[in-house]
Amino acid sequence: MSKSPPQITVNPCPNCQGHHTFPLRIRRSPVMSLSGEANQPGPRKFTLLCTCPKTGQTFQTELTVTPPPSERIVSVEPDPAEEEDES
Amino acid sequence: MNDPDGDFFDGMIIETGEATPLTPHNQALILAGRELISESLSVGREFCKSMISISTGAIPIYLGILAFILPESYMLGISRGALIVLPVLLFLTAAAVFTYGYFPLTDSFSLDVIEEIEAVRGRVISRRTAAARWGFGLFLAASLLAALMLVANIGAR
């Protein structure tokens, strides 16, 4: 299990056919079950808009995030402060 | 492409799908989102502005209809007079609350710091929303009371 910041790799990019890595900013929140039963939130699907660092055009990619036990995913967005281009 | 079972990050599993150009539907949604954000400030402002005129304009209409249905030499007792004046006071209070919502907000922020712009935008929207809700509640109460007063006094002439 990696402790590195979450990121996605887009390969190939639909705009430039290159290879980009986008660090993600994921907001999570703890979940408590009042009934005593395990009420584990399931995976959440997001459509993420990313901007190709070469062409500046926006494209979309789908990702599914499965939270750790007793947590839920609140939001996922690309972290523009840490964008990398590996193409 | 990532491996089909996804990548592990701090207890989370992230599975990435195929990257595609923006679909026309999502392009339209982005445009709608942009409009929602850019209009979010002006909608509340315009609502408060319109409601100031409507609330103050309701007072002469109410008093005019009341003067029309009440006899000229009609003497109001204290309690009945207070009841008849109450909608006017509520309309005035509603107009004051809408004016508070319309009043320019003094704040300072840097255009270079997105979080500051979002915080100011949030403060403006929450203030206008609160003013619009309270003002509209007062306006509804005033309208209902005014209608009740008019119905109760029909036939007094």
Side-chain angles (χ1 to χ4, degrees):
Chain A
M1 193 178 290
S2 166
K3 274 279 182 185
S4 60
Q7 59 184 31
I8 53 165
T9 304
V10 173
N11 186 24
C13 165
N15 293 325
C16 70
Q17 307 306 316
H19 168 233
H20 311 304
T21 301
F22 294 95
L24 299 176
R25 194 186 290 159
I26 300 181
R27 283 180 54 219
R28 303 186 285 182
S29 77
V31 175
M32 279 198 281
S33 170
L34 296 177
S35 63
E37 292 175 16
N39 190 11
Q40 173 63 26
R44 270 192 74 181
K45 208 170 184 178
F46 296 90
T47 301
L48 210 63
L49 301 180
C50 303
T51 305
C52 171
K54 278 198 167 170
T55 62
Q57 285 186 312
T58 308
F59 61 90
Q60 64 182 46
T61 182
E62 287 201 347
L63 58 133
T64 309
V65 185
T66 307
S70 305
E71 281 192 18
R72 70 184 174 94
I73 305 297
V74 179
S75 68
V76 175
E77 57 185 299
D79 193 350
E82 295 178 41
E83 249 169 48
E84 295 165 24
D85 182 13
E86 295 176 10
S87 59
Chain B
M1 277 293 180
N2 292 356
D3 91 62
D5 295 322
D7 295 328
F8 286 86
F9 293 99
D10 196 14
M12 295 175 292
I13 305 168
I14 301 178
E15 294 170 58
T16 316
E18 193 181 352
T20 55
L22 276 177
T23 59
H25 180 75
N26 285 354
Q27 281 177 348
L29 280 179
I30 292 167
L31 278 178
R34 274 189 194 145
E35 277 182 27
L36 278 176
I37 288 176
S38 62
E39 287 175 8
S40 58
L41 290 174
S42 59
V43 166
R45 191 168 177 271
E46 288 307 306
F47 178 76
C48 286
K49 187 181 173 184
S50 315
M51 288 308 290
I52 293 168
S53 318
I54 293 170
S55 301
T56 49
I59 296 170
I61 294 171
Y62 167 65
L63 292 178
I65 298 173
L66 209 58
F68 178 72
I69 60 172
L70 286 180
E72 280 176 27
S73 57
Y74 191 76
M75 294 296 289
L76 293 168
I78 292 178
S79 56
R80 200 170 176 84
L83 267 178
I84 279 180
V85 166
L86 194 57
V88 175
L89 294 177
L90 284 174
F91 279 129
L92 274 178
T93 314
V97 172
F98 286 126
T99 309
Y100 170 74
Y102 187 61
F103 199 75
L105 188 82
T106 50
D107 214 324
S108 58
F109 60 92
S110 166
L111 276 179
D112 294 332
V113 185
I114 296 294
E115 285 75 14
E116 278 190 25
I117 302 170
E118 280 187 329
V120 171
R121 184 177 155 272
R123 280 199 292 274
V124 173
I125 288 175
S126 62
R127 188 179 104 157
R128 291 222 167 106
T129 306
R133 282 188 181 151
W134 280 102
F136 195 67
L138 285 166
F139 177 80
L140 273 185
S143 303
L144 286 174
L145 202 58
L148 202 68
M149 289 297 112
L150 294 175
V151 169
N153 286 298
I154 285 177
R157 186 181 278 255

